[in-house]
Amino acid sequence: MSSILRGNKLSVSVYGQSHSKSIGAVIDGLPAGLEIDADRVRAFMSRRAPGQSFFATLRKEADAPTVLSGLVDGKTCGAPLAIKIDNTNTKSEDYEGLKLLPRPSHSDYAAYVKFGGNNDIAGGGQFSGRLTAPLCFAGADCMQLLEQKGISVKSHIYSVKDVTDEPFDLENLYDDDISLDPYFPVISRYKGEQMKTVISTAMENSDSVGGVIECAVLGMPAGIGEPMFDGIENVISKNIFGIPAIKGIEFGSGFSGTLKYGSENNDAFCVNNGKIQTVTNNHGGILGGITSGMPVVSRCAVKPTASIGITQQSVNLQTKKEEDLTIKGRHDPCIVPRAIPAIEAVAAITVLDLLL
């Protein structure tokens, strides 16, 4: 049941592999009567789709979702919303040599042991970032319902390798203030150009780089969530780690807060236009696992793409001898830009479930 993002009211079940005939999802729990703007869904999904920039994988996929059930005249009807996305540009032959020679830092070896050698190696199989495409469809639908509740989800590239963008203004963050390039969202264009240079250099060297994504949920009312094991941080973190290559998450001041005194990290309360808020937002909009009414802000660590063109050491799983491995295929030198809509989608699904 590990392929199901399961909430209290809402669930998203994902199926398929990177090179299977199709991938897709079944979304159960959406309220009936929600009118889905298909153009907006496609526009959101295009941010994750391959081939959108010079440094993305050369694999070209339209990522056009086909709705199988759950919509009548463009509105949800109360039945599970099922979609499929055809895989049309696969090159499985690039992965033939990896069945017994696992890629370093990839899922190959762990999956080989887990499934007794029956795992699908082509394109990473069910472990591929390709499976975030149907997640983005589900997230795009949820965002449209969240907007009706005055809630939005925004993200930007916080860093690529050692180049860091300007952070969100955690205290005065409003939806109208955020206008970012959907395919390479950064607050500072100067820092964005530096990031692109770092990615280009990695690509020229057949290498890869990682980074950090900062995500903000705006308009969340106070009092949402539960203490201890069902806190907002808990449920968001659990679901975010379902996205391939995510290796860490922090909220508010996060780890940097450990470098401050309590007097510096604490957020004083204030009244703003008759509404109780905090002067600062080091707590990232969450107190005791429950929303405070301030923006819910998290930062996710994305590791460097595991598949690189540099020759690396591996072990032949049959002979148990070390061998050199040179990976073929089409891979992103940095998956951070394309991971952003997946982060936003999971955040939207999780938040909507909490509100239903």
Side-chain angles (χ1 to χ4, degrees):
M1 309 296 281
S2 62
S3 297
I4 302 176
L5 190 163
R6 193 190 308 278
N8 292 317
K9 297 288 185 180
L10 189 64
S11 68
V12 180
S13 178
V14 177
Y15 80 84
Q17 303 106 259
S18 180
H19 289 194
S20 59
K21 186 175 181 181
S22 68
I23 56 178
V26 177
I27 308 151
D28 199 359
L30 284 174
L34 172 63
E35 186 170 1
I36 303 296
D37 187 328
D39 289 337
R40 291 184 61 194
V41 171
R42 283 190 289 268
F44 182 80
M45 294 182 65
S46 73
R47 294 169 55 199
R48 193 226 66 90
Q52 297 297 329
S53 66
F54 73 94
F55 48 74
T57 172
L58 295 178
R59 178 177 178 177
K60 303 288 185 181
E61 293 283 4
D63 279 2
T66 300
V67 176
L68 303 176
S69 68
L71 288 185
V72 176
D73 297 327
K75 294 183 179 180
T76 55
C77 63
L81 176 55
I83 61 116
K84 72 164 187 169
I85 301 169
D86 291 331
N87 287 326
T88 60
N89 188 14
T90 59
K91 293 180 66 177
S92 299
E93 64 273 11
D94 288 339
Y95 297 85
E96 290 176 356
L98 301 178
K99 190 71 174 180
L100 296 176
L101 205 61
R103 292 167 289 182
S105 291
H106 214 289
S107 61
D108 300 346
Y109 173 67
Y112 178 88
V113 175
K114 172 74 174 176
F115 300 115
N118 296 300
N119 54 302
D120 181 7
I121 201 70
Q126 71 194 73
F127 300 92
S128 171
R130 178 112 185 94
L131 275 296
T132 60
L135 262 184
C136 284
F137 175 89
D141 293 344
C142 292
M143 285 180 186
Q144 293 185 31
L145 184 52
L146 286 175
E147 286 180 4
Q148 297 177 14
K149 301 177 181 292
I151 297 170
S152 60
V153 183
K154 301 291 182 181
S155 300
H156 73 112
I157 303 172
Y158 186 80
S159 68
V160 167
K161 202 172 183 292
D162 55 356
V163 179
T164 302
D165 190 19
E166 296 176 11
F168 279 143
D169 183 343
L170 303 188
E171 292 75 50
N172 301 290
L173 186 60
Y174 301 99
D175 191 41
D176 292 342
D177 297 336
I178 306 172
S179 179
L180 303 172
D181 179 347
Y183 298 104
F184 202 91
V186 287
I187 297 172
S188 167
R189 291 185 179 181
Y190 173 70
K191 292 292 187 178
E193 291 304 315
Q194 287 185 311
M195 292 176 185
K196 290 179 181 179
T197 298
V198 169
I199 296 171
S200 296
T201 300
M203 182 170 63
E204 292 168 3
N205 294 329
S206 300
D207 214 332
S208 66
V209 289
V212 176
I213 297 168
E214 185 172 53
C215 179
V217 182
L218 310 176
M220 278 290 284
I224 304 298
E226 302 292 339
M228 295 191 72
F229 304 113
D230 282 330
I232 300 294
E233 299 106 319
N234 306 53
V235 291
I236 290 178
S237 298
K238 177 182 182 297
N239 294 337
I240 287 292
F241 277 113
I243 299 172
I246 299 298
K247 300 301 289 184
I249 186 170
E250 63 178 10
F251 294 85
S253 62
F255 288 101
S256 66
T258 65
L259 305 176
K260 301 177 181 180
Y261 289 108
S263 56
E264 297 172 308
N265 195 60
N266 288 351
D267 299 305
F269 286 100
C270 64
V271 177
N272 187 0
N273 294 323
K275 182 180 179 181
I276 297 176
Q277 294 182 334
T278 56
V279 177
T280 52
N281 191 20
N282 290 314
H283 66 289
I286 306 168
L287 295 168
I290 302 169
T291 55
S292 69
M294 296 294 285
V296 175
V297 180
S298 61
R299 283 173 291 277
C300 302
V302 184
K303 73 176 184 179
T305 313
S307 294
I308 60 176
I310 297 174
T311 299
Q312 303 171 87
Q313 179 180 299
S314 185
V315 170
N316 187 302
L317 300 178
Q318 191 171 57
T319 65
K320 299 283 195 328
K321 292 183 178 180
E322 296 173 358
E323 292 185 20
D324 286 340
L325 170 66
T326 303
I327 299 171
K328 301 178 182 179
R330 302 163 294 179
H331 309 285
D332 298 70
C334 179
I335 62 175
V336 172
R338 293 178 57 213
I340 287 178
I343 294 287
E344 294 179 0
V346 170
I349 295 166
T350 305
V351 167
L352 179 60
D353 178 66
L354 292 167
L355 293 169
L356 287 176

